[in-house]
Structures are given as C-alpha cells and as structure tokens.
Amino acid sequence: MSMSGWPTIQKPSISMPTKVKDNSLSSPLTNGMKITRAKHTRQLREWSLKWNAMPDTDLVQLLSWYATCAGGAASFSWLDEFGNSYTVRFSGDIDHESVSATHSQVSLKLEEA
Amino acid sequence: MKTLSTAALIEKNKLATDGAWLFLLEITIGATTLKLVANNEDILWNGDTWQAFPFEVDTIGEAGKGEIPAIGVKVSNVTGEVQSILEANDGANGVPVILRVISTNATATTPELELSFVVESSNYDEQWITFRLTGANCLTRRVPRRRYLKNFCPFTYGGIECGLPAAVLITYPTCNRTSANCTERGNAARFGGFPWMPQL
C-alpha cells in the first residue's frame, strides 16, 4: 500500500533525467539478428531529481519524509514534471551538500513501485 | 515431452514479439489460495486476479531413471506474508501447487503448460521462502491408514469416534489412551485399540 505525503517543497532544478527501463529479453543469433520478446508486461520508470540550491527548511522536510518512508521501504504517490501521478519509492541514498549558509545541493532517485 | 498449442508455437517462434511468457503459481495452504504471477503488475487471467509477486522457478527436468522429479520454487519473503501463512499451517507439507505458463498474447483460457506438484518441504530466510516441489508419491503414504495397537486408542479424546459425553469429560479432562482409562470412564465399548490382538 502506498502512502501519501510527498513534502511541499520547491520543484527540482529544470533537468530531471527520466529513465524508462527496457524489460525486453534478447538473444543474438549467429547471423547478427536477434530474437526479442517482453519479459514483463510493464515498463518501469526511474527519475533522477536534483536541486542545485534547496532551502534548508525544504531539506529538513525531505529528510523527514525519507525517514518516514524508511528509505526505499515504503512507496508513496508522487507527481512528475508533467503532473502525472505515479506510485514510487526512494531508490538509494539522498545526497546533500551545503552550497551556502541556507541552501544545499540535493540529489536523489525515485523508482516506480 | 510437453507440447505447445499452435498459437503458442507461432508466438514462440516469432523473431520479435511484445508478448511475455509468464509463470503463474497457485498454492492452496489451508484456507488460503495464493495466486501469484512472476510479473511487475497484477494480471487478470481466467477471471482471477493474479498478484504480481517475486518468485523464481528452477529448471524443470525430465528424468528417465525412474526418479520422482523435484524442483525448487523460491517465493519472496521480504514482506513475511507467505511465511505467516506457512507457520500457521505447519510448513505446508503436502499441499497442492499448480505451476502454469501463459503467453500474454494468447487469448486461450487454458495455459500453455500446467504442472501439478505437492510441497515436499519448505524453508525460509529473511529473503526467500524455498519450496521443494515433487509429484505425489503413493509410496510415502501410510497404508493401512491406521496402525493396529494392542493397548492404545488412536481416537481424539472426546472426539466423534471416542463419543465420550460432555459430563464425563468434565470429570475426566484427560485420558492416557489405555483400555484401563477407557473402562474407568465407562466407554470401553468404543475403545479404539485391539486388546485381544496377540502380543508379538
């Protein structure tokens, strides 16, 4: 079951690389051709979110949400840059580094649950 | 040798297809029937929703030496859901398991492959539950079902075969299953042992 509660923080910096994972199986033939088919019926996505200068108040909210989700354990609803809703979970660590007295550079990854 | 339907053969032999071959696993443990699909989303097949759940199936072989084939199936135990069902049902030994293979591009309501097994053993760690599945083996069944014992009653105390009245059960809450205990409770006519059987 997914949770709701992605914190109300500023949007990520404009570049948000999104990966749609290829779930096909492929077997090369000796003549250079390939036999291909789908392994599963759904293609999962992964988003790389990055903030060049996130206010520290937002960072506190984000880290609090990360703790609430126990890192990548719980899934939650999230809107992508086009307003599409996905059920996602954190994928790996949150990296943050101060860039000024009040702002930090933050990066994280979300994956479709 | 297993054979595939014509539609499945055409699907299998395509150089490129968007259809997926999916494993369906059906395990009936106690009152719970698990219908799982090794996929990344639930699917609807034959009127049932098959829940996307991580599981892996060992290679299924065919032996020609008279052995009873056995395979291993690993079901994810990260959530502990299946483990709790197993623990509530004494490990699920002997429960039926049906393994099916379907093609998402085939509209047939019969699976392309269907194999029936029973659980021979199961074990788990925090990551996986591993079932060892084998064909039903009549040689492992006890025949006759009951043992003939001279001075031991196999019936459940106070059960249907024992037939002891509730009032007597209150007076005598336990029984050591011997003929003497049965006589003491006035129930010798229903004693389940065979006291006149010669001692070997």
Side-chain angles (χ1 to χ4, degrees):
Chain A
M1 199 171 81
S2 65
M3 304 194 295
S4 57
W6 175 257
T8 309
I9 56 177
Q10 69 177 38
K11 291 187 173 177
S13 304
I14 201 149
S15 169
M16 190 196 295
T18 303
K19 187 190 291 181
V20 182
K21 295 178 182 174
D22 179 15
N23 66 1
S24 66
L25 289 173
S26 144
S27 180
L29 303 178
T30 52
N31 62 1
M33 296 171 68
K34 283 182 182 175
I35 294 178
T36 54
R37 68 173 170 85
K39 187 176 183 184
H40 302 296
T41 56
R42 189 166 67 123
Q43 291 180 307
L44 301 174
R45 293 163 191 255
E46 186 180 86
W47 296 266
S48 300
L49 277 58
K50 187 176 179 185
W51 291 261
N52 290 325
M54 174 187 277
D56 286 345
T57 50
D58 283 7
L59 177 59
V60 169
Q61 285 190 67
L62 180 63
L63 294 177
S64 172
W65 180 240
Y66 188 69
T68 302
C69 294
S75 58
F76 53 90
S77 299
W78 175 78
L79 298 177
D80 73 353
E81 59 198 305
F82 306 110
N84 300 315
S85 178
Y86 292 95
T87 301
V88 299
R89 67 168 71 86
F90 288 106
S91 171
D93 308 330
I94 291 183
D95 295 318
H96 64 92
E97 182 181 355
S98 294
V99 291
S100 74
T102 55
H103 288 74
S104 297
Q105 187 179 68
V106 182
S107 62
L108 60 88
K109 284 185 178 178
L110 300 177
E111 64 180 12
E112 200 171 359
Chain B
M1 196 178 110
K2 309 292 180 197
T3 54
L4 296 175
S5 68
T6 307
L9 276 175
I10 293 170
E11 178 67 19
K12 180 184 80 65
N13 291 339
K14 283 179 181 171
L15 274 181
T17 173
D18 60 351
W21 292 86
L22 299 177
F23 269 116
L24 306 180
L25 184 67
E26 182 176 342
I27 310 178
T28 304
I29 307 173
T32 310
T33 299
L34 301 171
K35 294 190 171 186
L36 311 177
V37 57
N39 191 28
N40 53 15
E41 65 179 341
D42 296 351
I43 65 159
L44 191 66
W45 184 75
N46 267 3
D48 293 318
T49 299
W50 295 74
Q51 188 182 353
F53 207 80
F55 70 85
E56 297 173 4
V57 181
D58 279 356
T59 305
I60 302 171
E62 291 191 18
K65 296 178 181 175
E67 302 157 349
I68 296 173
I71 62 163
V73 173
K74 291 200 304 181
V75 178
S76 174
N77 192 32
V78 170
T79 60
E81 291 170 69
V82 183
Q83 179 186 328
S84 64
I85 297 170
L86 277 186
E87 288 176 348
N89 290 278
D90 299 329
N93 279 11
V95 307
V97 176
I98 303 173
L99 198 57
R100 299 181 175 95
V101 178
I102 61 164
S103 167
T104 55
N105 273 4
T107 53
T109 53
T110 51
E112 296 307 334
L113 193 64
E114 180 171 306
L115 300 167
S116 296
F117 301 94
V118 292
V119 175
E120 187 185 73
S121 64
S122 54
N123 57 69
Y124 61 80
D125 57 26
E126 63 182 11
Q127 194 77 28
W128 295 103
I129 292 172
T130 306
F131 292 105
R132 185 176 155 80
L133 307 181
T134 183
N137 182 2
C138 61
L139 297 177
T140 62
R141 291 185 182 172
R142 175 186 279 180
V143 178
R145 194 165 181 178
R146 276 182 58 192
R147 285 191 297 166
Y148 291 82
L149 299 168
K150 185 176 173 64
N151 194 28
F152 184 83
C153 174
F155 300 152
T156 304
Y157 184 52
I160 293 173
E161 292 164 306
C162 174
L164 207 63
V168 183
L169 277 172
I170 293 168
T171 313
Y172 299 97
T174 60
C175 172
N176 68 4
R177 311 291 182 89
T178 62
S179 176
N181 256 228
C182 205
T183 306
E184 190 181 344
R185 286 155 182 74
N187 201 33
R190 283 176 171 258
F191 181 62
F194 296 86
W196 292 281
M197 191 167 68
Q199 186 77 48
L200 294 176

